Amino acid sequence: MVKNKTYRLDDTFKAKARAHQFAFRENVLNDFYDEKNPQVILSPHAAQCGLIFCDTYRDLIMEKVKKSHSSPALLSNMLRSEHIPFNLFVPMEEDLEQAKLLFNKLVGGGIANICKIYIEFAGEADKSMYLNDRTSFDAYIKYTDDNNQTGAIGIEVKYTENSYPIGEKEKKDINNPNSLYRQMTLKSSYFRPDLEVSTFLKAHHLRQIWRNHLLGYSMIDRGDIQRFHHIHLYPQGNSHFHRYAIPEYESLLTPKGKESFIALTYESLFEMLGQYFTSPEQKTWIDYLGTVVKRIKLYNELITNVI
């Protein structure tokens, strides 16, 4: 039984996720690292071996990781979301035909061929050509549609994360009447006409969703793509998004904005994965993904000791 594995500042979902990841690390990965530290960190050896990734596709994922510019936390911190896009989307590269069917289901059709799946993608040009900031997608699905035009799905992946404070440059840009934030917000027609861009100065729970949505539009505006959908992917148990941020963000959108924005839970995605990816190897991968959701639901009774 997992005891004394929670932070007093954890919300309910993060406490459950922490308990799950401690048990998974110790009981499944057999990695017993720094037991006095309540953070769920893999040992240096386990991190180097890529144990944070699904073993069925680990070699493929590690090759992708070597080419990325991700932080060291990607390989070790089990409570952050950096590793999840690799576990979710890299295996799809092995079966782009089924990936096409899945994403057609998500965006309502129109995808003829998937060109490439990127992990951590901020655009094909310098950042100054988009929002001139560090906004990027955790995963980016580039495709051609039935009319041979280029489209994309930009995906932001969350796990235990909630909101984040505003930086000085971001604050300055939002206040600037000539900033790319303001230009793209107005040109996109994604947002209610009565909405002030300054709304996002204090909306820590909405700002990253807004920026990701705008990044996709800025790619349309530049001519990189002709179609775009933004997917915000998160666990249903993360009530910060499920009950608050997502409903409020959707209330700010016009019909055009709502058409290009998709709020998607892990639970819904995993169910759909099982409909399209059906080989024995793929089933093992989907079972691995679903384990996180299933086990967190079982850990309600374990969250009793708070340090």
Side-chain angles (χ1 to χ4, degrees), residues 28-89:
V28 178
L29 301 182
N30 295 312
D31 188 44
F32 304 90
Y33 181 62
D34 192 8
E35 286 302 296
K36 295 180 180 179
N37 187 346
Q39 293 288 0
V40 190
I41 305 295
L42 290 176
S43 66
H45 176 71
Q48 185 178 15
C49 291
L51 296 193
I52 202 165
F53 301 121
C54 173
D55 57 354
T56 310
Y57 291 96
R58 188 171 291 150
D59 291 344
L60 179 67
I61 294 172
M62 288 297 285
E63 283 301 312
K64 180 77 75 170
V65 168
K66 290 174 185 176
K67 299 175 184 178
S68 74
H69 301 285
S70 302
S71 69
L74 165 68
L75 294 173
S76 59
N77 193 324
M78 300 177 74
L79 279 183
R80 291 174 63 172
S81 60
E82 284 96 334
H83 65 285
I84 297 176
F86 288 91
N87 271 323
L88 272 175
F89 301 108

